[in-house]
Amino acid sequence: MRRSADYEQVPRPVVALADEYPAGFVDPPHSHRRAQLLYATTGVMSVVTREGSFVIPPQRAVWIPGGVEHEVSCRGAVSLRTLYVEPDAGERLPRQTCVVEVTPLLRALILEVMRFAPEYAVEGREGLIVRLLLDEMLTLPVAGLHVPMPQDPRLARLCRAIIDDPAADADLDQMAEIARMSRRTLTRQFRLETGMSVAAWRQHVRLMEALSRLACGQPVTTVALDVGYDSPSSFTAVFHKVFGAAPSQYFARLQ
């Protein structure tokens, strides 16, 4: 079976790899020379980099530029389709990690490229499809399904603790203790590095966690309580305010 390392030196602008991962699988922090587009035909993933934490529900994919260290977690069983893209394959491709919407055309192109041998004919039909794929990737809308990560290692430690347990109800003093900073320094530095207050950042993390759980089919009531909300109604109100739809309506739009 070919693995990702086998594709680093394949002399093609784009090569594809299909893989299956069990629920709970975690690929620890690593990076690739090539950029990647990670798309799950089934299942939900989350990706954490030094710049942010990203959740990838159905009909979304995550773009990771070459050289960016990242950790991938699978919420449920995931059927992953990965495109490895040479750095010079498209000058206008994103320079930062982001979640993008997968159009029906892009999905069809990804699945077709999965059928190609690694060293496909660049000048034939397969090469034309790859060029169309790259062109389609330039038009993809970016979905705001991430939270920014601070660069200060003390704040990053606090943020990782929140991501690992978003339902924890630590107050500001307790969070300052985790970060080993004064309360005043924590609030000032956190907003400076993320553009958000600590409370707003934690709420967004809770919503991202909720989104991934809902995409796996968990009930709204269970999800709301598990991520730290007092009631399903309070969770639904915040979810609607941020995403513009109630949970059931949001996922209906992704079908």
Side-chain angles (χ1 to χ4, degrees):
M1 178 183 294
R2 283 181 174 266
R3 310 306 300 173
S4 59
D6 299 326
Y7 289 88
E8 291 293 329
Q9 304 305 323
V10 173
R12 296 295 182 272
V14 177
V15 290
L17 176 66
D19 218 334
E20 305 294 324
Y21 295 103
F25 176 83
V26 176
D27 199 2
H30 64 285
S31 63
H32 300 276
R33 182 184 65 81
R34 290 178 181 250
Q36 292 176 272
L37 185 74
L38 302 181
Y39 171 60
T41 56
T42 60
V44 179
M45 299 176 294
S46 63
V47 173
V48 177
T49 73
R50 292 176 181 174
E51 289 72 40
S53 175
F54 305 79
V55 61
I56 306 95
Q59 307 311 317
R60 302 290 190 268
V62 62
W63 171 262
I64 306 173
V68 173
E69 185 174 80
H70 56 283
E71 176 184 289
V72 181
S73 302
C74 299
R75 297 296 182 170
V78 169
S79 294
L80 185 63
R81 305 296 180 261
T82 304
L83 301 178
Y84 294 92
V85 183
E86 277 289 348
D88 60 355
E91 294 182 357
R92 292 186 291 134
L93 290 170
R95 301 296 182 185
Q96 295 182 318
T97 305
C98 58
V99 178
V100 297
E101 298 182 14
V102 177
T103 64
L105 175 57
L106 179 63
R107 183 180 190 278
L109 291 169
I110 291 172
L111 297 182
E112 182 64 19
V113 172
M114 289 292 154
R115 296 157 53 92
F116 298 173
E119 297 191 22
Y120 52 82
V122 175
E123 300 303 325
R125 170 184 175 274
E126 294 169 339
L128 290 172
I129 290 174
V130 167
R131 288 194 287 276
L132 177 58
L133 169 69
L134 290 170
D135 284 345
E136 180 68 8
M137 287 170 58
L138 297 176
T139 69
L140 299 179
V142 174
L145 300 179
H146 81 286
V147 287
M149 291 289 282
Q151 298 305 300
D152 186 305
R154 297 169 297 175
L155 296 179
R157 179 172 59 248
L158 170 63
C159 289
R160 190 67 207 221
I162 294 173
I163 290 171
D164 290 342
D165 186 10
D169 59 355
D171 61 24
L172 195 56
D173 289 327
Q174 291 170 319
M175 288 191 283
E177 184 176 347
I178 294 172
R180 299 175 188 171
M181 306 169 78
S182 71
R183 175 176 173 149
R184 181 178 180 182
T185 300
L186 169 63
T187 55
R188 183 182 66 249
Q189 191 68 20
F190 199 95
R191 185 176 291 278
L192 180 65
E193 292 205 23
T194 67
M196 307 169 72
S197 68
V198 180
W201 193 93
R202 179 165 64 180
Q203 175 177 275
H204 208 56
V205 168
R206 287 175 171 175
L207 287 173
M208 295 298 101
E209 174 69 12
L211 195 67
S212 66
R213 288 172 177 248
L214 291 167
C216 291
Q218 295 184 22
V220 171
T221 298
T222 301
V223 170
L225 299 178
D226 283 352
V227 301
Y229 286 88
D230 294 331
S231 67
S233 59
S234 62
F235 164 69
T236 298
V238 174
F239 190 99
H240 190 285
K241 181 178 180 180
V242 173
F243 295 113
S248 59
Q249 297 170 328
Y250 179 85
F251 285 99
R253 295 187 316 196
L254 298 182
Q255 301 305 316

